[in-house]
Amino acid sequence: MFFIPGFVIAAVTFPGVIVHEAAHMFFCRLRKVAVFEAVFFQFGDPAGYVTHERTEDFNSTFLISMGPFFINTLLCLLICFPAYLPMSFFHQSDPLNLLLMWLGLSIGMHAI
Amino acid sequence: MKAFFAGVLILVAVSIAWNWKFFRAKAHLTTMNERIEEGDLSGAIAAVDDFHAIMRVEPDLLVARNFWMGIRALANDSAERALELLEDVEATRPGSFNTSDYLISARIGAAFDKGDYDGFLRHSRESLSKRRDDPIAFGSVASAFACLFVTSGDEAYRDSTLEMLRKAKAISTDTSFNEYEQRILYRMHSKEIITRAAFYERFPNGWTP
């Protein structure tokens, strides 16, 4: 077993980090919670973050924190499934579908 | 933010649009399987053709398509076409499909259509040797003897026809054989060999001696 540093994983799957942070920010905007700073991707720890004002509202807290789970999962399915169908069922792959699979899986990996 | 999510949605749209043909192809294959389950050969063949219009068809699927077309041709009294298709299936994938019984039926039909009544008798006997409990197999031999009686006038063929009809009726458990018997008896009575379709056109309510 070998260890892969987190920053390498984040770098390889950077589209997922961007979507993850964008999902947090999206729900901040949706719930009218002020955003102070947002870093969508950086080479470091953390790979991305969104700082926003405190809120006592449970729904807002839930949506902002769980936002990436919903958004990233949904996008992963929507991007990966069409690209996976020709590979799994018809044993056909092309560069665009491989790219889409990488994007979809990257996004899915950062659902939580 | 809006532009970002618009970009992501475009990505989703590209993924779906780029692979839409595979969704359609999969749908056609599903339709094909459903039609086969329903026994709708024409529907299954149409589904394979629709699939073929989108994607390259696997050789096995083309063989299956020819097999279904052969069975359909046989059901539509196009025995020569059926024989051509089924022989192609057997040559391409020997033993893959249970073509032997259908091939014999196609050979029987093709021989009848060509007026080769010796061939008709030979193939009918081959069929009977495999299906001794089938009144239609006995009927087919009787039918061939009746054709030979009409063309040769040899009474021995008449006796053989009646003997085969007697054996067929002895094992027939329902009335479905009666219409076949009518056609054979009419053939010997009229000394005229007509197709099944022509017989029903002439006698829509059946014929009795």
Side-chain angles (χ1 to χ4, degrees):
Chain A
M1 193 170 145
F2 59 96
F3 176 73
I4 303 173
F7 74 89
V8 175
I9 294 172
V12 171
T13 59
F14 75 92
V17 178
I18 297 170
V19 174
H20 180 103
E21 302 312 331
H24 282 309
M25 199 166 159
F26 171 75
F27 281 103
C28 285
R29 295 259 175 97
L30 194 73
R31 301 299 296 180
K32 302 204 182 335
V33 172
V35 173
F36 301 135
E37 190 185 5
V39 172
F40 290 103
F41 181 74
Q42 65 179 6
F43 289 100
D45 187 17
Y49 60 87
V50 173
T51 52
H52 54 82
E53 67 174 326
R54 286 184 66 86
T55 173
E56 299 301 319
D57 180 51
F58 173 78
N59 289 341
S60 296
T61 306
F62 176 79
L63 285 173
I64 292 166
S65 53
M66 293 297 288
F69 176 75
F70 299 121
I71 299 279
N72 284 49
T73 303
L74 183 67
L75 287 175
C76 173
L77 290 174
L78 287 174
I79 294 170
C80 281
F81 179 64
Y84 181 68
L85 182 70
M87 292 185 198
S88 67
F89 203 81
F90 298 108
H91 308 292
Q92 290 187 22
S93 59
D94 59 62
L96 182 61
N97 276 337
L98 292 174
L99 178 70
L100 288 166
M101 284 297 286
W102 167 69
L103 277 170
L105 288 174
S106 297
I107 292 169
M109 279 179 70
H110 291 276
I112 48 172
Chain B
M1 175 62 73
K2 282 179 185 170
F4 173 77
F5 276 109
V8 172
L9 289 177
I10 287 171
L11 205 60
V12 170
V14 165
S15 184
I16 293 170
W18 183 257
N19 294 297
W20 187 246
K21 71 171 184 174
F22 294 105
F23 283 98
R24 288 174 56 216
K26 177 75 174 68
H28 291 315
L29 284 184
T30 305
T31 305
M32 179 197 80
N33 287 325
E34 285 172 359
R35 295 295 171 268
I36 285 298
E37 290 276 318
E38 294 164 4
D40 175 8
L41 291 178
S42 295
I45 292 162
V48 175
D49 289 343
D50 289 342
F51 179 86
H52 195 28
I54 301 170
M55 293 184 68
R56 187 181 65 84
V57 174
E58 293 292 321
D60 282 346
L61 195 55
L62 277 181
V63 177
R65 176 180 175 274
N66 282 352
F67 176 69
W68 300 329
M69 286 179 73
I71 303 301
R72 184 177 64 175
L74 201 54
N76 292 338
D77 286 339
S78 303
E80 271 197 73
R81 175 71 179 138
L83 186 59
E84 189 182 306
L85 287 161
L86 293 171
E87 280 181 339
D88 182 57
V89 169
E90 191 57 25
T92 313
R93 292 281 187 279
S96 295
F97 293 85
N98 190 19
T99 51
S100 57
D101 286 348
Y102 296 112
L103 264 172
I104 292 173
S105 296
R107 285 181 187 131
I108 290 170
F112 175 82
D113 290 344
K114 283 191 287 191
D116 172 16
Y117 302 121
D118 288 319
F120 181 17
L121 179 61
R122 190 173 63 253
H123 296 307
S124 295
R125 279 179 161 156
E126 186 187 350
S127 172
L128 179 61
S129 69
K130 294 179 178 177
R131 294 157 41 211
R132 302 290 302 180
D133 56 350
D134 182 0
I136 300 297
F138 278 98
S140 182
V141 177
S143 180
F145 277 132
C147 288
L148 289 168
F149 168 68
V150 171
T151 52
S152 70
D154 187 341
E155 287 292 325
Y157 288 128
R158 180 189 181 88
D159 295 342
S160 298
T161 303
L162 295 174
E163 174 65 10
M164 282 294 152
L165 286 177
R166 190 187 59 74
K167 286 180 178 175
K169 286 179 82 172
I171 58 168
S172 178
T173 53
D174 55 42
T175 56
S176 62
F177 181 74
N178 291 354
E179 60 91 13
Y180 196 15
E181 183 188 23
Q182 280 180 21
R183 280 191 281 135
I184 296 166
L185 291 175
Y186 175 74
R187 185 176 301 158
M188 292 197 297
H189 173 81
S190 65
K191 294 192 172 50
E192 183 186 14
I193 300 168
I194 58 174
T195 64
R196 179 167 56 180
F199 178 83
Y200 286 119
E201 197 175 316
R202 198 175 294 180
F203 306 107
N205 299 315
W207 175 83
T208 45

